[in-house]
Amino acid sequence: MTLEELDPVELARALIRCKSVTPAEGGALGLLERLLQPAGFACHRLTMGAPGTQPVENLYARLGSGAPHLCFAGHTDVVPAGEERAWTHPAFGAEIADGFLYGRGAVDMKGAIASFLAAALSYLKANGGSPRGSLSFLITGDEEGLAINGTQKVLAWLKARGEVLDACLVGEPTSREAIGDEIKIGRRGYVNARLVVYGKQGHSAYAERAENPIPKLARIIDRVCATPLDEGTAHFQPSSLQVTIISVPNTATNVIPGSAQANFNIRYNDLHTRADIEAWVGAQCAKAASEVGARFSLAYEGSGSVFLTQPGPLVKAFASAVFAVTGRPPALTTSGGTSDARFIKEMCPVVEAGLLNATAHQIDERVATQDLVMLTAIYRRFLEGYLGGQTDRGRPMTLNALG
Ligand SMILES: [Zn+2]
């Protein structure tokens, strides 16, 4: 077993140079495996597939067999670069300029993977090479895509082997203005609804012989969007229904179309279940449709359920680590979109904490190199706080540093 201290900035650069746009592995998982194996981790490369999808590679690596079992979850796949010529520095070049490391995946989330791996190896080196309990990495190549052949399938594989995670940290970019200012302890649920209003197709010059569905659709949208779902809860912002698409199957200006469609994206908090939301949307549409005399149908697709990790040992240990390194406690939030935490929460408590999200998925995605160093320090303290062990200064870390 060899335990070399790793520079998180150099590791992040090496990962960014791996062109791992979903579903390509791009060498990124291989690179991690080559670093984890010599440190004693049992590595499993898991290629998952499903009919109608491209197979995706994943990596699961575990050190130790005891409890508690702490897992770091992340993804090495990235979204495409977009307009490559618009980048100030090449999207897969990993160049550093003015203290910033540029490249696709810098913050979402190769930088965080580099920081956690550097923190883990440093922690292991200071604690005789093995964690108290177990430490694992669950790294998927299918987070930014369909998320079918990634974390969800690896968790099922773990379950079949009888492996249990006791706590999980997901390295998504959750920080807003400064490293550690926000961590996520839950996420809103979401569901998409498709509303079709039916009319009767006809000549626009003989409108009395047709029935135009467009004004009716517009009035239903207006009424449904103007009705609040709730006012928010202790840990969640108010639920939100947004109309995102309006479409009419028509290209002729002198034809009244036979139908018109609107799509809603609903983000809901812990007052609701998906079934509640569907019932609410159905009732609102029915009420508005009866007021305007419209015939309609509703269908739902795609969803992720709402979840909240109640502040407990995991959240406390992470918040303590942030406080120890930055001098500020993090805000515990549940805003933003979904992540693989929605699958992991079925097995164990999960928190999400990583780099600044300001440039995620953008042209010129970048991370301050000092942020990588600071995140590594936070992850290092978190490992000591959660698994036990000595701090950098040889002082035992307790879960109660925040009082
Ligand atoms: Zn991500």
Side-chain angles (χ1 to χ4, degrees), residues 370-388:
Q370 66 183 35
D371 282 358
L372 290 170
V373 173
M374 186 174 270
L375 185 64
T376 303
I378 291 171
Y379 284 164
R380 174 81 163 78
R381 287 294 280 234
F382 166 66
L383 284 165
E384 292 153 1
Y386 190 80
L387 292 176

Side-chain angles (χ1 to χ4, degrees), residues 104-257:
R104 180 57 83 225
V107 295
D108 188 9
M109 52 171 281
K110 289 173 170 175
I113 293 173
S115 289
F116 194 87
L117 184 46
L121 295 188
S122 163
Y123 167 78
L124 291 172
K125 198 172 179 188
N127 288 279
S130 60
R132 312 197 179 170
S134 311
L135 180 61
S136 67
F137 287 76
L138 193 175
I139 309 293
T140 178
D142 189 22
E143 200 274 345
E144 301 287 10
L146 297 171
I148 288 172
N149 295 320
T151 300
Q152 208 173 7
K153 287 223 166 92
V154 177
L155 289 172
W157 179 85
L158 285 176
K159 226 172 171 180
R161 285 163 57 91
E163 287 199 46
V164 177
L165 311 180
D166 295 309
C168 185
L169 166 67
V170 179
E172 287 293 340
T174 58
S175 300
R176 186 179 288 266
E177 306 286 344
I179 292 296
D181 61 353
E182 280 192 20
I183 67 174
K184 302 229 185 283
I185 59 166
R187 295 277 187 157
R188 291 179 294 177
Y190 79 93
V191 61
N192 295 306
R194 188 173 70 249
L195 168 69
V196 181
V197 170
Y198 301 98
K200 187 184 175 203
Q201 186 178 321
H203 198 306
S204 58
Y206 301 97
E208 67 282 2
R209 293 183 178 176
E211 181 191 344
N212 195 336
I214 299 175
K216 292 178 180 179
L217 177 72
R219 289 191 206 107
I220 295 173
I221 290 171
D222 183 48
R223 282 168 170 73
V224 173
C225 289
T227 311
L229 279 118
D230 56 65
E231 292 178 341
T233 68
H235 290 288
F236 286 87
Q237 61 199 110
S239 302
S240 153
L241 176 146
Q242 297 298 321
V243 56
T244 50
I245 303 172
I246 294 178
S247 55
V248 177
N250 190 18
T251 52
T253 57
N254 59 352
V255 173
I256 289 171

